[in-house]
Amino acid sequence: MDRSGEFQKWKAQSLSKADLSRKGSVDEDVVELVRLLNGREQFFTTSSCSGRILLLDGGLNGCEIQKQNCSWLLVTHRICAKDDVLSALKKARGDAVLKFEPFVLHVQCRQLQDAQILHSVAVDSGFRNSGITVGKRGKTMLAVRSTHGLEVPLSNKGRLMVTEEYIEFLLKIANQKMEENKKRIDRFYSCLQLALERQETSGLRPETNKMTHPVYTHRRKRKTEKMHGQCNSPEKQKDLESEEDNAEISLSFFPENY
C-alpha cells in the first residue's frame, strides 16, 4: 500500500471509532474546527479539548499520575461561578485542586508539509507550545497546545486551606484565561480557513510547496513576519507576545514499531 493509501486507511479507522472521552462528544467550541480538518483529505483529528475549568479531589493519597485515581468534583467548558466551586468543595475528602486546562488538539497529517502549515497557523494564533512529531512508519502528528494553564491546591485532607475571597480571585483569573482561550480558538479557525483556501487557489500541492525547515526557523521569524491574510494585526500580535518566548518546538521520532 502506498503512503497516501495507508494514511487514508488510518483516517477511516480513526474516525470510525467511538468517542471514549468522559464527555463522549466533541466540545461545542471546536466542532467547526474539527469538522474543517476532518473534511480535508490531508488531515484527521485524533483528540481535542476546547479548554476547561475543573476541580479534582485526589483522595487521601493524592493524584499521583495526572488525573488518574482522582474524583472529578466539577468540570466546565464555560465561565465558572464561585458558588459552583464552593458547593463542589464540600465533597472533597482529600487534596482538592482547581485547574484551568487550555485548548489542546492532536491532528495526524498526511505529510510533514501538511503539518508545517498547521503548525505555523497554530503558533501565530497564540498556541506557542505546539509541536510536530514524526514516526518512522510515516505517522506525522501535530499537537496544538499553549502554556497559559493554571493549577492551584485548595484543600488538604478535606480541610479548606484558602479563603473564599482567594477562591473568587482564582476564578477571576481562570475565567479570564478561558475567555482568552476562546479568542485563540476562533483566531486559529479563521486563519486556518484562510491558509487552506490560499493553498487551494494557488494550485500548489503540499508536496510541491518549498518550505525550508519552518519547524526550526519559525520562532525567529514570527515577530517580524505576518501570516498570509494578515491574521496577525498589531493588536493581536501584542496579545501573542505576552506569552513566554521559551516554548519548545520539537521534531522527534517514535520507536520503530510506532
Side-chain angles (χ1 to χ4, degrees):
M1 183 183 297
D2 62 29
R3 183 61 56 83
S4 179
E6 189 174 26
F7 176 81
Q8 293 305 323
K9 179 182 178 181
W10 289 334
K11 180 172 182 176
Q13 291 174 342
S14 179
L15 297 184
S16 65
K17 292 179 181 178
D19 190 325
L20 300 180
S21 65
R22 286 175 176 266
K23 187 169 178 285
S25 61
V26 177
D27 296 336
E28 181 180 351
D29 286 341
V30 295
V31 166
E32 292 302 319
L33 175 59
V34 169
R35 184 177 294 128
L36 173 63
L37 288 166
N38 289 334
R40 303 293 174 131
E41 63 178 4
Q42 67 267 44
F43 308 116
F44 67 89
T45 60
T46 60
S47 65
S48 65
C49 177
S50 65
R52 60 193 177 187
I53 296 172
L54 60 161
L55 184 66
L56 302 176
D57 182 16
L60 296 179
N61 296 322
C63 294
E64 296 180 359
I65 305 177
Q66 294 183 352
K67 292 179 284 293
Q68 294 182 16
N69 304 318
C70 294
S71 297
W72 292 54
L73 302 178
L74 173 70
V75 57
T76 178
H77 299 272
R78 294 284 182 264
I79 299 300
C80 188
K82 181 184 73 172
D83 289 345
D84 292 335
V85 174
L86 293 177
S87 177
L89 272 172
K90 294 177 181 179
K91 305 174 187 177
R93 297 294 179 267
D95 300 338
V97 178
L98 179 70
K99 300 186 70 176
F100 165 73
E101 296 180 339
F103 169 67
V104 62
L105 175 71
H106 293 93
V107 184
Q108 186 166 335
C109 307
R110 183 178 54 191
Q111 295 185 9
L112 178 59
Q113 292 91 335
D114 300 315
Q116 288 168 338
I117 293 174
L118 292 190
H119 180 266
S120 178
V121 173
V123 172
D124 285 333
S125 299
F127 300 107
R128 290 188 165 185
N129 202 34
S130 299
I132 300 171
T133 54
V134 179
K136 291 184 179 180
R137 287 185 57 198
K139 289 187 176 180
T140 303
M141 298 293 303
L142 172 77
V144 180
R145 301 172 300 224
S146 62
T147 57
H148 68 298
L150 178 71
E151 182 172 354
V152 183
L154 300 182
S155 70
N156 176 245
K157 297 181 180 180
R159 177 169 172 257
L160 188 63
M161 306 299 293
V162 300
T163 64
E164 290 189 17
E165 182 180 9
Y166 186 64
I167 292 175
E168 185 174 12
F169 168 72
L170 290 176
L171 279 178
K172 180 180 179 180
I173 295 174
N175 287 333
Q176 288 173 343
K177 288 178 178 289
M178 181 67 79
E179 291 174 347
E180 173 60 24
N181 184 72
K182 179 63 166 60
K183 291 178 182 178
R184 295 184 188 186
I185 293 174
D186 292 341
R187 188 183 305 149
F188 180 54
Y189 177 72
S190 298
C191 293
L192 178 59
Q193 276 188 312
L194 184 58
L196 294 176
E197 288 171 2
R198 285 181 175 271
Q199 182 189 48
E200 288 182 350
T201 56
S202 69
L204 293 177
R205 299 292 294 175
E207 53 265 40
T208 62
N209 284 345
K210 296 181 180 180
M211 303 176 69
T212 305
H213 306 297
V215 174
Y216 301 102
T217 62
H218 184 78
R219 278 185 59 199
R220 293 194 297 270
K221 293 181 179 180
R222 68 184 176 215
K223 289 185 178 180
T224 57
E225 292 185 354
K226 295 184 179 180
M227 269 190 55
H228 294 306
Q230 303 296 319
C231 284
N232 279 351
S233 65
E235 180 179 346
K236 291 178 180 177
Q237 186 67 20
K238 182 178 179 181
D239 291 339
L240 299 183
E241 290 178 356
S242 64
E243 279 229 51
E244 55 266 45
D245 288 328
N246 61 347
E248 295 184 0
I249 299 171
S250 63
L251 182 62
S252 58
F253 290 88
F254 293 123
E256 182 73 37
N257 60 354
Y258 171 72

